[in-house]
Amino acid sequence: MTALAVVQLVVLLGAIVALAKPLGIYMARVYEGRPSGLDRVLGPVERFLYRIAGINPGDEMGWKRYAVAMLLFNGLGLITIYALQRLQGMLPINPAHLPAVAPDLAFNTATSFATNTNWQSYSGEQTLSYLSQMLGLTVQNFVSAASGMAVLVALIRGIVRRTASTIGNFWVDLVRTTLYILIPLSLVLALALVSQGVVQTLAPYKKVALVQPVVIDQPKLDAAGAPVKDAQGNPVTEKVTVTEQTLAVGPAASQIAIKQLGTNGGGFFNTNSAHPFENSTPLSNFLEVLAIPLISAALCLTFGEMVRDRRQGWAILAAMSTIFVVAAMVAISNEQAGNPLLTKLGVDQHVSATQSGGNMEGKEVRFGPAASALWAATTTGTSNGSVNSMHDSFTPLGGLVPMAMMQLGEVVFGGVGCGLYGMLAFVIVAVFIAGLMVGRTPEYLGKKIGAFEMKMASLVILITPAVVLLGTAVAVATAAGQAGASNPGAHGFSQILYAFTSAGNNNGSAFAGINANTQFYNFMLGLAMFFGRFWAKVPILAIAGSLAAKKLTPVGAGTLATHTPLFVGLLIGTVLLVAALTFFPALALGPIVEHLQMLAAAH
Amino acid sequence: MSTQLRPALVLFAALSVVTGIAYPLVVTGIAQTIFPERANGSLKVVDGKERGSRLIGQPFSAPGYFWSRPSATSPAPYDASGSTGSNLGPTNPALVTAVHDRVATLRQADPTLTELIPVDLVTTSGSGLDPDISVAAALVQVNRVAAARGVPAERLRQLVQALSQGRTLGFLGEPRVNVLLLNLALDRLRP
């Protein structure tokens, strides 16, 4: 790992921590209904929304009502995106005249966006109209993120309140998150990105003449548009001179800002933030990668603020940051080391003053291996899933890092809201393990952790691995599943494992060579996203309801302090242990075997 | 549940309008006012003619031009209406073969080329539209371009250095040259 790569990592972490504190305190004010500053401008909009929707903001909900409201709202989103895609051919704002999306792909994309996953089975510029992108995807980028944050805030209220039967009002949490947090941040980021060259226009795709026309071999098509085959059944090609280039543009910056901030990750273009119109310069790259963990990290401090003990928030943030730094360093050093198979071919992969060197397959020159690997660790630890390089072409161990970061359960900063509530489930397990060791009833922040909380926390932690491993098992055991792998050998298995890991954990990134736009994968991965998201959210709300009803237990001599380095270590250990026990065998079959094969072939 | 239906429907519609229509339109309006050139794709105009986008690479194969990186878009390289990477795994034999062939093509086009080939010049980018090559990748092509154009190699080296970009703020990004801008400058070079 080069010194400059270390500087990039340190500056990124420093910026995250520096911005997390003010943002975290601001969000606590928003959720507690205290004056936040922006309410003076947006207060009338907020009250207008409550009035037309018939909402009494003071109307508190129990956890079941809160869950029903959340599911109802997300269900509406699902149906709407599905309908928009199926009907886009007949709807306006479609300058590229893209036709209706096929049912299985539309189902997959709808689930993908309603669950905050943003798995891209579609290719943005070739499948979705501007209207579908704006009214379908951008809307869900906001509200699926807001609904994750709402669930977290409900859980925090459950921890704070004593002998209470309610945990807040879902509609109020949803509206406040969107108006006071997501929209203002997105607006600022979107304009900063346009200043770097990210496109934002409603004009149609643009044609320009190539400086040097090129001759290519193109598959020959018959009158019906089907490929012509020769006597041996091979496709016939013909020489064609290409003289112009079609530049796909569109209202990209506005969607990219929220896809980064809301840990959504679904790109405007097929190659996401590797596309120069989606991520134009090293500076736009830094802003985009900083935006990924920003809100999730800040929510740790919102948590500390709302439980009136900031040290609790810092302790969780410290645990997350520690795992992040180690993962980023492993990924960066492997990608900077390059691919030993290419060294033999007379290729220079050394870092020098005139080149980045390293493993450059699937990476952009302006980012190089360091910024690409740093992004990979960030986007997978946070359930964001946007990419600025193709993870499929990473070195085996460089590619293991993003996979493992998702398998930790998306808690290294994690998705907005769901990262922290996932981590709090691990906290419950950690205090339980500590309690077992000393023979005391476990408690956290004055609330006794009982059998019910443990059961629900275990559900949250175990549902996703079950979805991931079962899905992978079905795929590798069936012809339809095996057909998806585009690379041979161990790497093909990694592609399938990555796909289910990503879908089950609502990440959305991919080993993108996988041929996932098939009925089998659109359906299976759609289910994985659905269960991974909602089966985890409901037990969290159940914990919130149960904790809210409890009395406060006074701190005693046997109370485990949960803000100390010792507890941070215990929490990290719990997270790593659960993931290692669950996923090590699968990882051994994929990236670890491939790494050994690569070393053997290089000698 | 029925009491939740009205808030769900109304809020969904209202938030769709706010985030799906108002928000992107406001961003578009401001962007088109403050940064019109960048919001529309950073087009490079020479003598009143649009020659491409500064941010999107173009394919070059003539010996007298600096070549861009290989591109995985299909069927044409640098198809900016369908970005894609190769997604070849690191141990995939297809990757090794492709890199081997690209190295051979470069050496064939310039028999004087004996140095190691910079890795970015023989690998495909993430987007298939990478506008840049590393400074090293431009410098190894200088002899070929100089021979084809009949200009001194030293002049081309100076041109590459003049157009190369360093790291932003000293640590962000990597040293690089924009291939389209380099080749356009090449065409305007007086012999």
Side-chain angles (χ1 to χ4, degrees), chain B residues 9-26:
Chain B
L9 286 169
V10 175
L11 268 192
F12 185 78
L15 289 179
S16 293
V17 172
V18 173
T19 61
I21 297 176
Y23 160 73
L25 290 186
V26 166

Side-chain angles (χ1 to χ4, degrees), chain B residues 176-188:
Chain B
R176 61 199 186 278
V177 188
N178 184 304
V179 183
L180 177 65
L181 298 188
L182 179 60
N183 284 330
L184 287 175
L186 204 55
D187 279 343
R188 296 168 78 90

